[in-house]
Structures are given as structure tokens and as C-alpha cells.
Amino acid sequence: MTEETPGFEEKPDVPSGAAPDDAADAAGTSSANPAEEGPAAPAGDATATVAGLTAQLDQARTALGERTADLQRLQAEYQNYRRRVERDRVAVKELAVASLLTELLPVLDDIGRAREHGELVGGFKSVAESLETVAAKMGLQQFGKEGEPFDPTIHEALMHSYAPDVTETTCVAILQPGYRIGERTIRPARVAVAEPQPGAAPAAQAPKEEPKAADEESGGPEEG
């Protein structure tokens, strides 16, 4: 075994005829790092990376568009649901009000008959008027008047007669008033109707007066 003498470093072998500069070059060449002289990365790898990122971005945009469309569809369905619920709520309320007021119609008829006979007096009058006011606030409207043309959509004829002074089927008496809520009729007006006499000619129109001559209007020619 060979022992190394401390204080001395190994030097590269230099030929006996070489110059000192040659020895330094040899030492520098031997100490260079071969890893620093590796091949450069090809340009195709960068292009492939960019293409991959672009594809991922397109996929993300497509997914975002689908989620946005789903959200818009859900919002539209929710709005339709709210409108349908509100419409149903209003319809149920109208049906309940109409049912209640229909049950009160006989009471209102009694109040009307009592008023016609002069029996609506005292505390009964106050209660009756309060009931009519509440019914009106709930949308109840009374209709049916004598002399109006007969309309089968809102009138119910209980009595029929002929009259010489009518030119069309006319309500000549209101037996029971009709009631409606808005545009909805909850009870037609029960009436007595009269029709023109069969074969009666329409009333003749009065002849029109012919315009008088100018000399007649002025009283004739003046005398000299």
C-alpha cells in the first residue's frame, strides 16, 4: 500500500517535452463539466404544450357554456313556476269569494224586498247596509234594469209577453237582480220580457217639412 505524502496534490501527467501552458490547458480540459454541454430541447415540444393548453381552454369554455345554459333554463323554469303558482292562487281566491257571495245572494234578495216594502228600518237597516258594503268591497256588482234589451248571456227570462211600444225583446220587469264579480256572472238577472206585436209594422216616421220658399218666409212681395 502506498501512502500519500501530505501537502502535495496530484498533477496531470505532462510529457517531458511539453510547455507549462500545455499542462494548464490539459488541467482545464479535464475539469470541465460534461453535463453543461448536453443537447438543446427541440422546438416541437413547446408547440405540443401550447396545443394541449389550447385544447384544455376550449374544453373549459364549452363546459362553462353548458353550465350557463343550464342555469338560464332553471331560471326560466322557476319564473314560470312562480307565475303559475300566483295564477293558481288568484284563481283559488276568486273561487272562494264567488262561493261565499253566492251563498249570500238569498240574504241580499231579502234585503232588497224589505227595502221595496219599506221594512228596512232601525238596526236591521244598519246591518243590511253594512253587509251590502262588504259584498261590494269583495267585488260583487248588481245588474239588471227595466227597459234594457234582453241579453240571454246575462238575463234569464221567466215571463214573456207582447207589447206594442217595444221594437225589440226588452226587459220590462226585474224579478231578481243579477250579480257578477268582475267579468264573471255568478247569477243572471231574472226578468220578464216583452216582444213587439206579431205583424206590427214599425212606427212610421213623421214626414219631413219641405223648406219654404224665400218669398213665403218673408211674407210675400212688398207692395209699392
Side-chain angles (χ1 to χ4, degrees):
M1 179 178 298
T2 305
E3 295 182 358
E4 296 179 357
T5 304
F8 293 91
E9 296 179 357
E10 293 184 0
K11 297 181 180 180
D13 295 334
V14 181
S16 58
D21 294 336
D22 294 337
D25 294 338
T29 302
S30 61
S31 62
N33 187 4
E36 296 177 358
E37 299 178 2
D45 293 344
T47 303
T49 301
V50 173
L53 294 176
T54 303
Q56 292 179 2
L57 180 59
D58 292 339
Q59 292 178 357
R61 288 175 176 172
T62 302
L64 178 61
E66 293 175 353
R67 300 293 84 78
T68 302
D70 292 341
L71 179 60
Q72 292 175 347
R73 183 171 60 255
L74 289 175
Q75 288 179 340
E77 291 177 355
Y78 177 67
Q79 293 298 331
N80 292 334
Y81 168 76
R82 288 188 59 186
R83 284 192 291 266
R84 184 168 59 252
V85 169
E86 181 65 18
R87 184 172 60 250
D88 294 343
R89 186 186 67 81
V90 172
V92 169
K93 180 181 178 181
E94 290 178 352
L95 288 175
V97 171
S99 178
L100 173 62
L101 294 178
T102 300
E103 296 296 328
L104 290 178
L105 293 185
V107 180
L108 296 176
D109 291 336
D110 292 339
I111 293 174
R113 284 189 290 268
R115 182 178 287 111
E116 291 176 357
H117 291 83
E119 299 175 356
L120 198 63
V121 293
F124 178 57
K125 178 181 180 181
S126 177
V127 173
E129 291 177 349
S130 298
L131 180 60
E132 290 175 337
T133 301
V134 171
K137 287 182 178 180
M138 297 178 70
L140 186 66
Q141 300 176 359
Q142 185 183 104
F143 66 90
K145 295 181 180 179
E146 295 182 4
E148 63 185 6
F150 175 76
D151 185 353
T153 61
I154 60 174
H155 296 141
E156 181 182 354
L158 300 182
M159 298 177 63
H160 176 270
S161 62
Y162 295 97
D165 57 344
V166 296
T167 57
E168 59 180 343
T169 305
T170 306
C171 300
V172 294
I174 306 300
L175 305 179
Q176 271 188 340
Y179 289 96
R180 66 166 63 98
I181 300 176
E183 298 298 328
R184 179 182 179 183
T185 300
I186 62 175
R187 192 183 76 180
R190 293 166 180 170
V191 299
V193 299
E195 292 182 350
Q197 289 285 355
Q205 296 181 355
K208 297 181 179 180
E209 296 182 356
E210 297 181 357
K212 297 180 179 180
D215 55 348
E216 295 180 357
E217 292 180 357
S218 58
E222 296 181 358
E223 295 180 358

